[in-house]
């Protein structure tokens, strides 16, 4: 996924991250990378879920947990779309 991301092949990166995150032996980093790509592609609700999975599982470098928590706060505070107008 990272290779595709560096080549700006974002659809392929997203697919790769989704496959990695669904794997039985998925590393927490898969959820972080998936969250980054989902946010970039305009899917904030799934990005939020991916970042939350990462924070729950991450035991490594605190800097990455901090980045994920910042993303969670940013995504939680996005304005929501107004409710649809009632039809007349």
């Amino acid at each position: 996924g990272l290779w595709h991301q560096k080549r700006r092949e974002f659809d392929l990166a997203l697919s790769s991250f989704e496959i990695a995150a669904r794997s039985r032996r998925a590393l927490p980093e898969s959820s972080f990378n998936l969250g980054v790509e989902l946010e970039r592609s305009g899917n904030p609700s799934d990005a939020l879920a991916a970042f939350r999975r990462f924070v729950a599982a991450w035991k490594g470098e605190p800097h990455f947990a901090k980045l994920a928590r910042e993303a969670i706060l940013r995504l939680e505070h996005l304005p929501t779309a107004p409710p649809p107008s009632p039809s007349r």
Side-chain angles (χ1 to χ4, degrees):
L2 293 173
W3 186 79
H4 289 297
Q5 206 174 42
K6 287 179 184 178
R7 294 174 51 98
R8 305 186 60 77
E9 297 169 339
F10 298 120
D11 290 342
L12 293 172
L14 181 57
S15 296
S16 296
F17 293 142
E18 287 173 333
I19 291 167
R22 283 194 309 253
S23 167
R24 262 190 229 182
R25 299 184 314 186
L27 298 173
E29 294 94 318
S30 324
S31 292
F32 182 88
N33 292 329
L34 179 59
V36 168
E37 195 56 36
L38 285 166
E39 183 177 10
R40 190 207 61 76
S41 68
N43 191 338
S45 60
D46 287 344
L48 182 58
F51 284 124
R52 286 179 173 156
R53 281 192 306 273
F54 171 79
V55 169
W58 184 243
K59 305 291 186 236
E61 173 65 41
H63 173 71
F64 293 105
K66 180 179 183 269
L67 291 174
R69 284 192 297 275
E70 289 170 355
I72 289 168
L73 287 173
R74 183 174 58 252
L75 292 164
E76 286 177 335
H77 292 94
L78 284 178
T80 56
S85 303
S87 32
R88 295 179 180 206

